[in-house]
Amino acid sequence: MGEDMTDTAQAEKTKIHEGKEADHHPYFRPKDAATLILVDRSGTTPKVLVGKRHDKVVFMPGKFVFPGGRVDKADYRVPVAAPITTELEANLAKGSPKTPPSRAKSLAIAAIREACEETGLCLGRKVEGKVPKLDGNWKPFADAGLLPDPSSLFLIARAITPPGRVKRFDTRFFTADASAITHRVDGVIHADAELVELVWVELGSKPLADLHPMTRNVLNELDTRLATGPLRHDAPVPFFHFYGGKMQKDILGA
């Protein structure tokens, strides 16, 4: 019995190291998460910022990824320099069950926090008077005299991890223009960090072909929207989810 359990655990580790995700686990409720795709449109072809993961991390070693992660409790409470736009709040509220304003704000704030933690790039704004005390993962903002500013974010897509996975996320994919970056924290990217390199790459280029399939779906949506001109809050927002073992693409609010 003990040997069987050891063999099973080892097989599970092997799957993870091979980049495969186990799909036979009981139902887990997906956790709220957010990803931020920063876009540089100063050239002929838009570029997006990706980070290369350390080759010794368990999940997706050596792969290019966008900054993102779970919503923290502090994301609900942190003061902001400006509220999210009413249009973004409305887009985040779409779907069932409806997302209340506090939760919508926490999703946008989580995207900003994760980007600053993983890349050192912060979307914030200086405020008049004394900056409220921010600690933990928000300390870089306080040190720079900033409060997080989610007013430049757009919602590109929503995606839920398929049932049966060990970790499941209900992820909102945001984008913002590179001009929204107001501060850089030194020393975040280095040889022993989670992300060892940051690269601005053109949409459609080779490094992006190796992204997670769902992330590629979202990038295709972003590419389509950028081709039509400036980003708009009234553009359709796709919702990727799984039903009957197959991926479905719906439009939020449709």
Side-chain angles (χ1 to χ4, degrees), residues 60-65 205-213 215-216:
M60 297 179 68
K63 302 290 187 181
F64 284 102
V65 298
S205 61
K206 186 176 180 180
L208 301 181
D210 200 30
L211 293 173
H212 189 281
T215 307
R216 290 203 304 270

Side-chain angles (χ1 to χ4, degrees), residues 38 48-53 64-67 114-121 181 184-185 188-190 194-201:
L38 291 166
V48 292
L49 184 69
V50 292
K52 186 176 183 181
R53 290 175 62 82
F64 284 102
V65 298
F66 294 103
E114 288 286 342
C116 188
E117 284 181 37
E118 297 181 10
T119 70
L121 303 177
I181 301 169
R184 178 189 291 269
V185 180
V188 173
I189 305 298
H190 54 82
E194 181 178 342
L195 297 182
V196 299
E197 181 183 6
L198 288 180
V199 187
W200 289 97
V201 294

Side-chain angles (χ1 to χ4, degrees), residues 47-78:
K47 295 180 179 179
V48 292
L49 184 69
V50 292
K52 186 176 183 181
R53 290 175 62 82
H54 197 289
D55 60 7
K56 296 193 184 303
V57 296
V58 172
F59 184 64
M60 297 179 68
K63 302 290 187 181
F64 284 102
V65 298
F66 294 103
R70 286 183 54 175
V71 173
D72 286 346
K73 290 181 179 180
D75 297 333
Y76 283 85
R77 302 189 300 269
V78 65

